[in-house]
């Protein structure tokens, strides 16, 4: 029952995102997670460079810890997951016979 509730509530919501240093990828670990402030400085969440020189980019991936892996930098790909209770962006109209 919890899985169904999670699937229904996740439809149409923002994907999980973490602010990462795009240049910090380590094999087996992923990207180093930064403070969200490093991504918010750019306004729209694109790559930014803070005063300390660390760049922050939104990376759409779930998880916890100091590194993020198995995700995407493309928000459209992160949202395009679908699932139970989700309708596609295409409208399906028609009439039933009878």
């Amino acid at each position: 029952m919890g899985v169904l509730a999670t699937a229904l509530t996740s439809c149409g919501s923002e994907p999980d995102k973490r602010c990462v240093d795009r240049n910090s990828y380590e094999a087996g670990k992923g990207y180093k997670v930064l403070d969200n402030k490093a991504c918010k400085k750019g306004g729209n969440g694109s790559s930014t460079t803070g005063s300390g020189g660390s760049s922050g980019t939104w990376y759409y991936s779930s998880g916890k810890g100091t590194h993020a892996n198995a995700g995407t930098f493309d928000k459209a790909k992160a949202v395009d997951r679908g699932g139970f209770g989700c309708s596609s962006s295409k409208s399906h109209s028609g009439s039933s016979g009878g």
Side-chain angles (χ1 to χ4, degrees):
M1 195 60 139
V3 173
L4 180 59
T6 301
L8 290 174
T9 57
S10 66
C11 182
S13 63
E14 282 286 309
D16 291 337
K17 64 184 179 181
R18 305 173 78 194
C19 186
V20 301
D21 180 351
R22 194 173 197 141
N23 300 318
S24 68
Y25 186 80
E26 293 181 45
K29 286 187 173 182
Y31 297 95
K32 183 180 177 185
V33 175
L34 303 174
D35 189 272
N36 286 350
K37 292 176 187 176
C39 286
K40 291 179 181 177
K41 289 179 183 176
N44 65 1
S46 61
S47 283
T48 61
T49 303
S51 59
S54 62
S55 60
T57 304
W58 289 119
Y59 185 67
Y60 299 93
S61 169
S62 60
K64 296 180 180 178
T66 60
H67 288 78
N69 205 357
T72 180
F73 287 104
D74 186 350
K75 183 178 181 179
K77 287 182 181 178
V79 173
D80 191 24
R81 289 186 280 199
F84 283 129
C86 296
S87 60
S88 67
S89 60
K90 299 175 186 174
S91 63
H92 298 287
S93 60
S95 59
S96 59

